[in-house]
Amino acid sequence: MKINEMLNIEYPILLGGMAQISMGEFAAAVSNAGGLGVIASGGLSADRLREEIGKCKRKTDKPFGVNLMLMAPNRDELAKVIVDEGVQVVVTGAGSPTPYIPMWKGAGIKIISVIQSVKIAKKVEAMGVDAIVAEGTEAGGHVGETTTMALVPQVVDAVSLPVIAAGGIADGRGVVAAMALGAEGVQVGTRFLVAEECPVHERFKEEVLKAIDTDTLVTGRSIGGPVRGIRNEMTLKFLELEARKASRDELEDLSMGSLRKAVFDGDMIEGSVMAGQICGMVSECSSVKEIIESMFEDVKKIYLNLGKLI
């Protein structure tokens, strides 16, 4: 796989850059298990990002990356920290990486952009990124409108870069489906939420484990910031306000700090329990290593069975 060679990893799987969740030690666990651990820099100061990178380095000698949301007010500082700390991979989203590409390329950093449409995929390819994550609307957190099944093959046909599929992938079947659509790797978030090494509150994990296929919904479409999470009192109130055409300020007042409430306090009522539609298939906690190895053992079995049918 080109992705394995490009990123120097054993398995073509990336940890989704989940804000306040994908921190240094968690990223290290994914890298140690053969994937690419990714530290989410969303909401972090430059000093805190350095701290999380340091934690990751102390736990692994394997490649890892940093996710940078390009709408962050301190993006210039964070972009430089990535270079100063010798990070091998940067995963960008929510904005244009153009201002930072020369600096990152000069430091030998591989640049991967997360996109939700063919149009944006073509744009980031022209900017000079190294690979693309095509993320479908099934994913948790900030999402686009096109499904993974529809988005991935169209992006694969539109660009010449390696494409990584994201959204609705939690087992070997999802990986094989992504490969059949032309992807060379996968990015996974929701399945890792219940990993033993995942730092979210136990009540957050329990909420994911008990969720069924219809338990997620998307809020924030009216203000141009759609977010998928598990239905609770906060999200239902948010949708009610949106239906009444509430102002952005009213909506932001309701959701301010809600992710932190869920992740750290275990508040499943007023917290934002970001998770993808595949949460209904996530049924057990296990280590990151067990998750990845099980996933790719299933991939091998599926390919073997396909070979028997052809």
Side-chain angles (χ1 to χ4, degrees):
M1 287 288 185
K2 289 181 184 176
I3 287 294
N4 293 41
E5 295 171 7
M6 177 187 295
L7 304 179
N8 192 26
I9 55 179
E10 181 181 356
Y11 299 106
I13 182 169
L14 282 65
L15 171 63
M18 299 177 284
Q20 301 185 40
I21 298 172
S22 300
M23 295 289 101
E25 293 184 1
F26 190 21
V30 173
S31 291
N32 284 332
L36 185 80
V38 176
I39 299 169
S41 66
L44 302 186
S45 66
D47 286 343
R48 176 70 191 284
L49 178 57
R50 286 185 195 277
E51 181 183 333
E52 293 302 327
I53 291 171
K55 289 179 183 178
C56 192
K57 286 179 178 178
R58 287 191 290 275
K59 292 286 186 177
T60 187
D61 59 359
K62 297 187 176 180
F64 64 90
V66 168
N67 176 278
L68 178 59
M69 297 296 283
L70 293 163
M71 63 182 181
N74 61 339
R75 56 189 175 274
D76 290 348
E77 293 178 81
L78 299 176
K80 191 170 185 307
V81 168
I82 290 167
V83 174
D84 292 344
E85 294 298 319
V87 175
Q88 301 95 323
V89 183
V90 60
V91 182
T92 71
S96 171
T98 299
Y100 311 108
I101 287 178
M103 176 175 66
W104 288 336
K105 290 278 189 180
I109 297 171
K110 298 298 182 185
I111 306 165
I112 303 174
S113 284
V114 180
I115 58 87
Q116 287 88 27
S117 72
V118 169
K119 181 179 179 180
I120 301 174
K122 290 179 176 179
K123 282 186 177 181
V124 296
E125 180 180 37
M127 292 172 192
V129 305
D130 298 290
I132 287 171
V133 173
E135 184 179 69
T137 194
E138 299 96 320
H142 296 276
V143 294
E145 297 294 334
T146 308
T147 66
T148 305
M149 178 68 79
L151 179 64
V152 172
Q154 292 184 74
V155 171
V156 168
D157 288 350
V159 301
S160 59
L161 299 174
V163 175
I164 298 159
I169 300 167
D171 67 359
R173 292 172 295 179
V175 176
V176 172
M179 303 299 184
L181 296 174
E184 299 207 12
V186 295
Q187 176 178 282
V188 172
T190 301
R191 180 65 186 91
F192 284 133
L193 283 173
V194 297
E196 292 167 359
E197 299 90 340
C198 183
V200 300
H201 197 284
E202 285 303 312
R203 282 198 289 272
F204 195 121
K205 294 183 181 183
E206 290 167 8
E207 202 72 7
V208 174
L209 289 170
K210 75 180 186 182
I212 63 172
D213 59 327
T214 56
D215 274 347
T216 70
L217 48 74
V218 177
T219 56
R221 283 196 171 106
S222 66
I223 55 174
V227 174
R228 183 178 298 283
I230 295 176
R231 179 194 324 267
N232 63 6
E233 288 187 25
M234 189 277 290
T235 57
L236 292 174
K237 178 64 174 177
F238 197 109
L239 289 177
E240 181 186 324
L241 288 175
E242 284 192 284
R244 288 175 14 210
K245 301 190 185 306
S247 68
R248 176 182 289 269
D249 286 346
E250 286 181 88
L251 294 169
E252 290 183 349
D253 283 346
L254 175 64
S255 59
M256 187 69 66
S258 58
L259 179 59
R260 178 171 289 276
K261 288 178 184 177
V263 171
F264 299 112
D265 301 336
D267 185 342
M268 299 295 104
I269 297 172
E270 296 183 354
S272 178
V273 191
M274 293 187 189
Q277 287 182 322
I278 204 68
C279 62
M281 203 176 76
V282 177
S283 59
E284 62 179 359
C285 290
S286 48
S287 70
V288 163
K289 187 174 188 291
E290 289 169 333
I291 290 170
I292 293 177
E293 289 183 352
S294 172
M295 194 175 289
F296 285 93
E297 279 301 315
D298 285 347
V299 169
K300 290 177 185 177
K301 291 175 185 175
I302 293 167
Y303 276 121
L304 182 62
N305 289 333
L306 285 173
K308 291 177 182 176
L309 292 173
I310 296 172

Short mmCIF file of all heavy atoms in Angstrom, two decimals, residues 141-209:
data_model
loop_
_atom_site.label_atom_id
_atom_site.label_comp_id
_atom_site.label_asym_id
_atom_site.label_seq_id
_atom_site.Cartn_x
_atom_site.Cartn_y
_atom_site.Cartn_z
N GLY A 141 -18.60 13.95 14.82
CA GLY A 141 -17.99 15.28 14.83
C GLY A 141 -18.41 16.11 13.63
O GLY A 141 -19.52 15.98 13.11
N HIS A 142 -17.52 16.96 13.16
CA HIS A 142 -17.83 17.86 12.05
C HIS A 142 -17.90 17.08 10.75
O HIS A 142 -16.96 16.36 10.40
CB HIS A 142 -16.77 18.95 11.96
CG HIS A 142 -16.76 19.85 13.16
ND1 HIS A 142 -17.60 20.92 13.30
CD2 HIS A 142 -16.02 19.80 14.31
CE1 HIS A 142 -17.39 21.51 14.47
NE2 HIS A 142 -16.43 20.84 15.10
N VAL A 143 -19.00 17.21 10.03
CA VAL A 143 -19.23 16.39 8.85
C VAL A 143 -19.69 17.22 7.66
O VAL A 143 -20.14 18.35 7.79
CB VAL A 143 -20.30 15.30 9.14
CG1 VAL A 143 -19.79 14.30 10.16
CG2 VAL A 143 -21.62 15.92 9.59
N GLY A 144 -19.58 16.58 6.47
CA GLY A 144 -20.15 17.14 5.26
C GLY A 144 -21.52 16.53 5.01
O GLY A 144 -22.17 16.05 5.93
N GLU A 145 -21.93 16.49 3.75
CA GLU A 145 -23.26 16.00 3.42
C GLU A 145 -23.26 14.71 2.60
O GLU A 145 -24.27 14.02 2.52
CB GLU A 145 -24.03 17.08 2.63
CG GLU A 145 -24.28 18.36 3.40
CD GLU A 145 -25.21 18.16 4.59
OE1 GLU A 145 -26.03 17.23 4.56
OE2 GLU A 145 -25.11 18.94 5.56
N THR A 146 -22.12 14.36 1.98
CA THR A 146 -22.08 13.20 1.09
C THR A 146 -21.64 11.96 1.85
O THR A 146 -20.72 12.01 2.67
CB THR A 146 -21.10 13.46 -0.07
OG1 THR A 146 -21.43 14.70 -0.69
CG2 THR A 146 -21.19 12.36 -1.12
N THR A 147 -22.28 10.82 1.56
CA THR A 147 -21.93 9.58 2.24
C THR A 147 -20.56 9.07 1.81
O THR A 147 -20.08 9.38 0.70
CB THR A 147 -22.96 8.49 1.96
OG1 THR A 147 -22.92 8.14 0.57
CG2 THR A 147 -24.37 8.94 2.34
N THR A 148 -19.95 8.26 2.65
CA THR A 148 -18.65 7.67 2.34
C THR A 148 -18.72 6.84 1.06
O THR A 148 -17.84 6.92 0.20
CB THR A 148 -18.18 6.78 3.51
OG1 THR A 148 -18.18 7.56 4.71
CG2 THR A 148 -16.81 6.21 3.26
N MET A 149 -19.78 6.04 0.91
CA MET A 149 -19.94 5.18 -0.26
C MET A 149 -19.97 6.00 -1.55
O MET A 149 -19.41 5.59 -2.58
CB MET A 149 -21.22 4.37 -0.13
CG MET A 149 -21.53 3.46 -1.31
SD MET A 149 -20.39 2.08 -1.48
CE MET A 149 -21.01 0.96 -0.23
N ALA A 150 -20.58 7.16 -1.52
CA ALA A 150 -20.66 8.00 -2.72
C ALA A 150 -19.41 8.87 -2.90
O ALA A 150 -18.96 9.10 -4.02
CB ALA A 150 -21.90 8.88 -2.64
N LEU A 151 -18.86 9.35 -1.79
CA LEU A 151 -17.75 10.30 -1.86
C LEU A 151 -16.44 9.67 -2.28
O LEU A 151 -15.73 10.18 -3.16
CB LEU A 151 -17.58 10.98 -0.50
CG LEU A 151 -16.44 11.99 -0.38
CD1 LEU A 151 -16.68 13.19 -1.31
CD2 LEU A 151 -16.29 12.46 1.07
N VAL A 152 -16.08 8.54 -1.66
CA VAL A 152 -14.74 7.97 -1.88
C VAL A 152 -14.45 7.66 -3.34
O VAL A 152 -13.42 8.10 -3.87
CB VAL A 152 -14.51 6.74 -0.98
CG1 VAL A 152 -13.21 6.04 -1.35
CG2 VAL A 152 -14.49 7.16 0.48
N PRO A 153 -15.30 6.91 -4.06
CA PRO A 153 -14.95 6.61 -5.45
C PRO A 153 -14.88 7.84 -6.34
O PRO A 153 -14.07 7.89 -7.28
CB PRO A 153 -16.05 5.65 -5.90
CG PRO A 153 -17.18 5.89 -4.98
CD PRO A 153 -16.57 6.27 -3.67
N GLN A 154 -15.70 8.84 -6.05
CA GLN A 154 -15.65 10.06 -6.86
C GLN A 154 -14.36 10.83 -6.63
O GLN A 154 -13.77 11.38 -7.56
CB GLN A 154 -16.86 10.94 -6.54
CG GLN A 154 -18.18 10.34 -7.00
CD GLN A 154 -19.35 11.28 -6.77
OE1 GLN A 154 -19.52 12.28 -7.48
NE2 GLN A 154 -20.16 10.97 -5.78
N VAL A 155 -13.90 10.84 -5.38
CA VAL A 155 -12.62 11.50 -5.08
C VAL A 155 -11.47 10.73 -5.71
O VAL A 155 -10.55 11.31 -6.29
CB VAL A 155 -12.43 11.66 -3.55
CG1 VAL A 155 -11.02 12.14 -3.23
CG2 VAL A 155 -13.46 12.62 -2.98
N VAL A 156 -11.52 9.39 -5.59
CA VAL A 156 -10.47 8.55 -6.18
C VAL A 156 -10.35 8.82 -7.68
O VAL A 156 -9.24 8.92 -8.22
CB VAL A 156 -10.78 7.05 -5.92
CG1 VAL A 156 -9.88 6.16 -6.78
CG2 VAL A 156 -10.59 6.72 -4.44
N ASP A 157 -11.48 8.96 -8.36
CA ASP A 157 -11.46 9.21 -9.80
C ASP A 157 -11.01 10.63 -10.15
O ASP A 157 -10.54 10.87 -11.26
CB ASP A 157 -12.86 8.98 -10.39
CG ASP A 157 -13.24 7.51 -10.44
OD1 ASP A 157 -12.37 6.66 -10.20
OD2 ASP A 157 -14.43 7.22 -10.72
N ALA A 158 -11.16 11.54 -9.18
CA ALA A 158 -10.90 12.96 -9.48
C ALA A 158 -9.45 13.39 -9.22
O ALA A 158 -9.01 14.41 -9.75
CB ALA A 158 -11.84 13.84 -8.67
N VAL A 159 -8.73 12.64 -8.38
CA VAL A 159 -7.36 13.05 -8.02
C VAL A 159 -6.39 11.90 -8.27
O VAL A 159 -6.78 10.74 -8.42
CB VAL A 159 -7.28 13.49 -6.53
CG1 VAL A 159 -8.22 14.66 -6.26
CG2 VAL A 159 -7.57 12.32 -5.59
N SER A 160 -5.11 12.24 -8.29
CA SER A 160 -4.08 11.21 -8.48
C SER A 160 -3.36 10.86 -7.18
O SER A 160 -2.45 10.04 -7.16
CB SER A 160 -3.05 11.70 -9.52
OG SER A 160 -2.45 12.91 -9.09
N LEU A 161 -3.77 11.47 -6.09
CA LEU A 161 -3.16 11.23 -4.78
C LEU A 161 -3.76 10.00 -4.11
O LEU A 161 -4.89 9.60 -4.41
CB LEU A 161 -3.40 12.44 -3.86
CG LEU A 161 -2.85 13.78 -4.30
CD1 LEU A 161 -3.31 14.87 -3.33
CD2 LEU A 161 -1.34 13.74 -4.38
N PRO A 162 -3.04 9.39 -3.16
CA PRO A 162 -3.63 8.32 -2.35
C PRO A 162 -4.82 8.88 -1.57
O PRO A 162 -4.75 9.98 -1.02
CB PRO A 162 -2.50 7.91 -1.42
CG PRO A 162 -1.25 8.38 -2.07
CD PRO A 162 -1.62 9.61 -2.81
N VAL A 163 -5.89 8.10 -1.52
CA VAL A 163 -7.10 8.51 -0.81
C VAL A 163 -7.33 7.57 0.38
O VAL A 163 -7.23 6.35 0.26
CB VAL A 163 -8.33 8.49 -1.74
CG1 VAL A 163 -9.61 8.79 -0.96
CG2 VAL A 163 -8.14 9.50 -2.87
N ILE A 164 -7.63 8.16 1.53
CA ILE A 164 -7.94 7.44 2.76
C ILE A 164 -9.42 7.66 3.03
O ILE A 164 -9.90 8.79 3.00
CB ILE A 164 -7.09 7.99 3.92
CG1 ILE A 164 -5.60 7.78 3.63
CG2 ILE A 164 -7.49 7.34 5.24
CD1 ILE A 164 -4.68 8.69 4.42
N ALA A 165 -10.16 6.58 3.26
CA ALA A 165 -11.60 6.69 3.49
C ALA A 165 -11.90 6.85 4.97
O ALA A 165 -11.25 6.24 5.83
CB ALA A 165 -12.32 5.44 2.96
N ALA A 166 -12.92 7.66 5.29
CA ALA A 166 -13.33 7.86 6.67
C ALA A 166 -14.84 8.01 6.74
O ALA A 166 -15.47 8.52 5.81
CB ALA A 166 -12.66 9.11 7.25
N GLY A 167 -15.41 7.54 7.85
CA GLY A 167 -16.85 7.65 8.06
C GLY A 167 -17.54 6.31 7.93
O GLY A 167 -17.62 5.75 6.84
N GLY A 168 -17.98 5.74 9.05
CA GLY A 168 -18.72 4.49 9.02
C GLY A 168 -17.86 3.25 8.91
O GLY A 168 -18.34 2.20 8.45
N ILE A 169 -16.61 3.33 9.36
CA ILE A 169 -15.70 2.17 9.27
C ILE A 169 -15.32 1.73 10.67
O ILE A 169 -14.75 2.51 11.45
CB ILE A 169 -14.44 2.53 8.46
CG1 ILE A 169 -14.83 2.96 7.04
CG2 ILE A 169 -13.46 1.36 8.44
CD1 ILE A 169 -13.72 3.63 6.27
N ALA A 170 -15.65 0.48 11.00
CA ALA A 170 -15.37 -0.01 12.36
C ALA A 170 -14.88 -1.44 12.41
O ALA A 170 -14.55 -1.94 13.48
CB ALA A 170 -16.62 0.13 13.24
N ASP A 171 -14.84 -2.11 11.26
CA ASP A 171 -14.34 -3.48 11.26
C ASP A 171 -13.73 -3.79 9.90
O ASP A 171 -13.64 -2.92 9.02
CB ASP A 171 -15.46 -4.47 11.62
CG ASP A 171 -16.56 -4.57 10.57
OD1 ASP A 171 -16.50 -3.85 9.54
OD2 ASP A 171 -17.49 -5.36 10.77
N GLY A 172 -13.32 -5.07 9.72
CA GLY A 172 -12.66 -5.46 8.49
C GLY A 172 -13.53 -5.29 7.27
O GLY A 172 -13.04 -4.99 6.17
N ARG A 173 -14.84 -5.48 7.42
CA ARG A 173 -15.75 -5.29 6.29
C ARG A 173 -15.71 -3.86 5.78
O ARG A 173 -15.71 -3.60 4.57
CB ARG A 173 -17.18 -5.67 6.69
CG ARG A 173 -17.37 -7.14 6.95
CD ARG A 173 -18.74 -7.44 7.53
NE ARG A 173 -18.91 -6.85 8.86
CZ ARG A 173 -20.02 -6.95 9.58
NH1 ARG A 173 -21.06 -7.62 9.10
NH2 ARG A 173 -20.10 -6.41 10.78
N GLY A 174 -15.64 -2.92 6.71
CA GLY A 174 -15.55 -1.51 6.32
C GLY A 174 -14.26 -1.20 5.60
O GLY A 174 -14.23 -0.43 4.64
N VAL A 175 -13.16 -1.82 6.08
CA VAL A 175 -11.86 -1.61 5.43
C VAL A 175 -11.89 -2.16 4.01
O VAL A 175 -11.46 -1.49 3.05
CB VAL A 175 -10.73 -2.29 6.23
CG1 VAL A 175 -9.40 -2.16 5.49
CG2 VAL A 175 -10.62 -1.68 7.62
N VAL A 176 -12.40 -3.37 3.84
CA VAL A 176 -12.47 -3.98 2.51
C VAL A 176 -13.36 -3.16 1.58
O VAL A 176 -13.05 -2.95 0.40
CB VAL A 176 -12.95 -5.45 2.59
CG1 VAL A 176 -13.22 -6.02 1.21
CG2 VAL A 176 -11.92 -6.29 3.32
N ALA A 177 -14.48 -2.69 2.10
CA ALA A 177 -15.38 -1.85 1.30
C ALA A 177 -14.66 -0.58 0.83
O ALA A 177 -14.78 -0.17 -0.32
CB ALA A 177 -16.63 -1.49 2.10
N ALA A 178 -13.90 0.03 1.75
CA ALA A 178 -13.16 1.24 1.40
C ALA A 178 -12.14 0.95 0.30
O ALA A 178 -11.98 1.74 -0.65
CB ALA A 178 -12.46 1.80 2.64
N MET A 179 -11.44 -0.18 0.41
CA MET A 179 -10.46 -0.55 -0.60
C MET A 179 -11.14 -0.82 -1.94
O MET A 179 -10.62 -0.45 -3.00
CB MET A 179 -9.68 -1.80 -0.16
CG MET A 179 -8.97 -1.68 1.17
SD MET A 179 -7.72 -0.38 1.20
CE MET A 179 -7.03 -0.63 2.84
N ALA A 180 -12.31 -1.45 -1.89
CA ALA A 180 -13.05 -1.72 -3.13
C ALA A 180 -13.46 -0.43 -3.83
O ALA A 180 -13.56 -0.38 -5.06
CB ALA A 180 -14.28 -2.57 -2.83
N LEU A 181 -13.67 0.62 -3.05
CA LEU A 181 -14.03 1.92 -3.61
C LEU A 181 -12.81 2.68 -4.14
O LEU A 181 -12.96 3.75 -4.73
CB LEU A 181 -14.74 2.77 -2.56
CG LEU A 181 -16.09 2.23 -2.05
CD1 LEU A 181 -16.61 3.09 -0.91
CD2 LEU A 181 -17.10 2.16 -3.18
N GLY A 182 -11.62 2.12 -3.91
CA GLY A 182 -10.40 2.75 -4.43
C GLY A 182 -9.52 3.39 -3.38
O GLY A 182 -8.46 3.91 -3.70
N ALA A 183 -9.94 3.36 -2.11
CA ALA A 183 -9.12 3.94 -1.05
C ALA A 183 -7.91 3.07 -0.78
O ALA A 183 -7.92 1.86 -1.02
CB ALA A 183 -9.94 4.11 0.23
N GLU A 184 -6.86 3.68 -0.25
CA GLU A 184 -5.65 2.94 0.09
C GLU A 184 -5.46 2.81 1.60
O GLU A 184 -4.48 2.22 2.06
CB GLU A 184 -4.43 3.63 -0.52
CG GLU A 184 -4.51 3.68 -2.03
CD GLU A 184 -3.15 3.73 -2.67
OE1 GLU A 184 -2.14 3.52 -1.99
OE2 GLU A 184 -3.12 4.01 -3.87
N GLY A 185 -6.38 3.37 2.35
CA GLY A 185 -6.31 3.29 3.79
C GLY A 185 -7.60 3.79 4.39
O GLY A 185 -8.51 4.23 3.67
N VAL A 186 -7.69 3.74 5.71
CA VAL A 186 -8.90 4.20 6.40
C VAL A 186 -8.51 5.07 7.59
O VAL A 186 -7.44 4.91 8.18
CB VAL A 186 -9.77 3.03 6.89
CG1 VAL A 186 -10.30 2.23 5.72
CG2 VAL A 186 -9.01 2.12 7.86
N GLN A 187 -9.40 5.99 7.93
CA GLN A 187 -9.27 6.77 9.16
C GLN A 187 -10.45 6.38 10.05
O GLN A 187 -11.59 6.35 9.59
CB GLN A 187 -9.31 8.27 8.88
CG GLN A 187 -9.27 9.12 10.15
CD GLN A 187 -9.25 10.60 9.84
OE1 GLN A 187 -8.23 11.16 9.48
NE2 GLN A 187 -10.40 11.25 9.97
N VAL A 188 -10.17 6.07 11.31
CA VAL A 188 -11.19 5.55 12.22
C VAL A 188 -11.24 6.40 13.49
O VAL A 188 -10.20 6.72 14.07
CB VAL A 188 -10.90 4.07 12.56
CG1 VAL A 188 -11.82 3.57 13.66
CG2 VAL A 188 -11.02 3.20 11.31
N GLY A 189 -12.44 6.75 13.91
CA GLY A 189 -12.62 7.49 15.14
C GLY A 189 -13.51 6.76 16.12
O GLY A 189 -13.10 6.35 17.20
N THR A 190 -14.79 6.57 15.74
CA THR A 190 -15.79 6.03 16.65
C THR A 190 -15.39 4.68 17.25
O THR A 190 -15.57 4.45 18.45
CB THR A 190 -17.14 5.91 15.92
OG1 THR A 190 -17.54 7.21 15.47
CG2 THR A 190 -18.21 5.35 16.85
N ARG A 191 -14.84 3.78 16.45
CA ARG A 191 -14.45 2.46 16.98
C ARG A 191 -13.40 2.60 18.08
O ARG A 191 -13.38 1.83 19.05
CB ARG A 191 -13.90 1.58 15.85
CG ARG A 191 -13.46 0.18 16.31
CD ARG A 191 -14.64 -0.63 16.81
NE ARG A 191 -14.26 -1.92 17.38
CZ ARG A 191 -13.99 -2.14 18.66
NH1 ARG A 191 -14.03 -1.14 19.53
NH2 ARG A 191 -13.67 -3.34 19.09
N PHE A 192 -12.53 3.60 17.95
CA PHE A 192 -11.48 3.80 18.95
C PHE A 192 -11.99 4.49 20.22
O PHE A 192 -11.27 4.54 21.22
CB PHE A 192 -10.33 4.61 18.36
CG PHE A 192 -9.44 3.83 17.43
CD1 PHE A 192 -9.07 4.36 16.20
CD2 PHE A 192 -8.94 2.59 17.79
CE1 PHE A 192 -8.23 3.65 15.34
CE2 PHE A 192 -8.10 1.87 16.95
CZ PHE A 192 -7.74 2.41 15.72
N LEU A 193 -13.20 5.03 20.19
CA LEU A 193 -13.73 5.70 21.39
C LEU A 193 -13.85 4.75 22.57
O LEU A 193 -13.80 5.19 23.72
CB LEU A 193 -15.11 6.31 21.09
CG LEU A 193 -15.13 7.61 20.29
CD1 LEU A 193 -16.56 7.98 19.94
CD2 LEU A 193 -14.45 8.74 21.06
N VAL A 194 -14.04 3.46 22.29
CA VAL A 194 -14.18 2.50 23.39
C VAL A 194 -12.91 1.68 23.59
O VAL A 194 -12.94 0.63 24.26
CB VAL A 194 -15.41 1.58 23.18
CG1 VAL A 194 -16.69 2.40 23.17
CG2 VAL A 194 -15.29 0.78 21.88
N ALA A 195 -11.80 2.13 23.03
CA ALA A 195 -10.52 1.47 23.30
C ALA A 195 -10.15 1.69 24.75
O ALA A 195 -10.48 2.73 25.36
CB ALA A 195 -9.43 2.04 22.39
N GLU A 196 -9.46 0.72 25.32
CA GLU A 196 -9.04 0.84 26.72
C GLU A 196 -8.17 2.07 26.95
O GLU A 196 -8.22 2.70 28.01
CB GLU A 196 -8.29 -0.43 27.13
CG GLU A 196 -9.18 -1.65 27.20
CD GLU A 196 -8.42 -2.95 27.30
OE1 GLU A 196 -7.15 -2.91 27.30
OE2 GLU A 196 -9.05 -4.02 27.37
N GLU A 197 -7.39 2.44 25.93
CA GLU A 197 -6.48 3.57 26.07
C GLU A 197 -7.14 4.92 25.80
O GLU A 197 -6.54 5.97 26.02
CB GLU A 197 -5.29 3.41 25.10
CG GLU A 197 -4.44 2.18 25.32
CD GLU A 197 -4.93 0.96 24.55
OE1 GLU A 197 -6.12 0.93 24.13
OE2 GLU A 197 -4.13 0.03 24.34
N CYS A 198 -8.37 4.90 25.31
CA CYS A 198 -9.05 6.16 25.00
C CYS A 198 -9.36 6.92 26.30
O CYS A 198 -9.94 6.34 27.23
CB CYS A 198 -10.34 5.89 24.24
SG CYS A 198 -11.21 7.41 23.74
N PRO A 199 -9.00 8.21 26.37
CA PRO A 199 -9.12 8.94 27.64
C PRO A 199 -10.49 9.51 27.96
O PRO A 199 -10.63 10.26 28.92
CB PRO A 199 -8.09 10.07 27.45
CG PRO A 199 -8.11 10.34 25.98
CD PRO A 199 -8.30 9.00 25.34
N VAL A 200 -11.53 9.17 27.20
CA VAL A 200 -12.85 9.72 27.51
C VAL A 200 -13.41 9.10 28.79
O VAL A 200 -13.01 8.02 29.20
CB VAL A 200 -13.86 9.51 26.35
CG1 VAL A 200 -13.38 10.17 25.08
CG2 VAL A 200 -14.16 8.04 26.12
N HIS A 201 -14.37 9.80 29.38
CA HIS A 201 -15.03 9.33 30.59
C HIS A 201 -15.72 7.98 30.32
O HIS A 201 -16.19 7.71 29.21
CB HIS A 201 -16.08 10.36 31.03
CG HIS A 201 -16.54 10.21 32.44
ND1 HIS A 201 -17.44 9.24 32.83
CD2 HIS A 201 -16.25 10.93 33.57
CE1 HIS A 201 -17.68 9.36 34.12
NE2 HIS A 201 -16.97 10.37 34.60
N GLU A 202 -15.79 7.13 31.33
CA GLU A 202 -16.41 5.81 31.17
C GLU A 202 -17.87 5.91 30.74
O GLU A 202 -18.36 5.07 29.99
CB GLU A 202 -16.30 5.00 32.47
CG GLU A 202 -14.91 4.45 32.73
CD GLU A 202 -14.41 3.56 31.59
OE1 GLU A 202 -15.16 2.67 31.15
OE2 GLU A 202 -13.27 3.79 31.14
N ARG A 203 -18.57 6.97 31.18
CA ARG A 203 -19.97 7.12 30.78
C ARG A 203 -20.07 7.43 29.29
O ARG A 203 -21.05 7.06 28.64
CB ARG A 203 -20.65 8.21 31.61
CG ARG A 203 -21.02 7.73 33.01
CD ARG A 203 -22.07 8.63 33.66
NE ARG A 203 -21.53 9.93 34.03
CZ ARG A 203 -20.95 10.21 35.18
NH1 ARG A 203 -20.82 9.27 36.10
NH2 ARG A 203 -20.49 11.42 35.43
N PHE A 204 -19.07 8.09 28.74
CA PHE A 204 -19.02 8.36 27.30
C PHE A 204 -18.91 7.02 26.56
O PHE A 204 -19.65 6.76 25.59
CB PHE A 204 -17.81 9.25 26.98
CG PHE A 204 -17.82 9.89 25.62
CD1 PHE A 204 -17.78 11.27 25.50
CD2 PHE A 204 -17.82 9.12 24.46
CE1 PHE A 204 -17.76 11.88 24.23
CE2 PHE A 204 -17.80 9.71 23.20
CZ PHE A 204 -17.78 11.09 23.09
N LYS A 205 -18.00 6.16 27.03
CA LYS A 205 -17.84 4.85 26.40
C LYS A 205 -19.13 4.03 26.49
O LYS A 205 -19.54 3.37 25.53
CB LYS A 205 -16.68 4.09 27.05
CG LYS A 205 -15.32 4.73 26.80
CD LYS A 205 -14.19 3.90 27.41
CE LYS A 205 -12.85 4.57 27.17
NZ LYS A 205 -11.72 3.77 27.66
N GLU A 206 -19.77 4.08 27.64
CA GLU A 206 -21.02 3.34 27.84
C GLU A 206 -22.09 3.83 26.87
O GLU A 206 -22.88 3.03 26.35
CB GLU A 206 -21.50 3.51 29.28
CG GLU A 206 -20.63 2.78 30.31
CD GLU A 206 -20.94 3.20 31.73
OE1 GLU A 206 -21.93 3.96 31.93
OE2 GLU A 206 -20.19 2.80 32.64
N GLU A 207 -22.12 5.13 26.63
CA GLU A 207 -23.12 5.70 25.72
C GLU A 207 -22.90 5.19 24.30
O GLU A 207 -23.85 4.88 23.58
CB GLU A 207 -23.04 7.23 25.76
CG GLU A 207 -24.29 7.94 25.32
CD GLU A 207 -25.43 7.83 26.32
OE1 GLU A 207 -25.23 7.31 27.44
OE2 GLU A 207 -26.55 8.25 25.98
N VAL A 208 -21.64 5.10 23.89
CA VAL A 208 -21.31 4.57 22.56
C VAL A 208 -21.70 3.10 22.47
O VAL A 208 -22.29 2.64 21.49
CB VAL A 208 -19.82 4.76 22.25
CG1 VAL A 208 -19.44 4.07 20.93
CG2 VAL A 208 -19.46 6.25 22.17
N LEU A 209 -21.39 2.34 23.51
CA LEU A 209 -21.65 0.90 23.50
C LEU A 209 -23.14 0.57 23.45
O LEU A 209 -23.55 -0.43 22.85
CB LEU A 209 -21.02 0.24 24.73
CG LEU A 209 -19.50 0.16 24.74
CD1 LEU A 209 -19.01 -0.28 26.11
CD2 LEU A 209 -19.00 -0.80 23.66
#
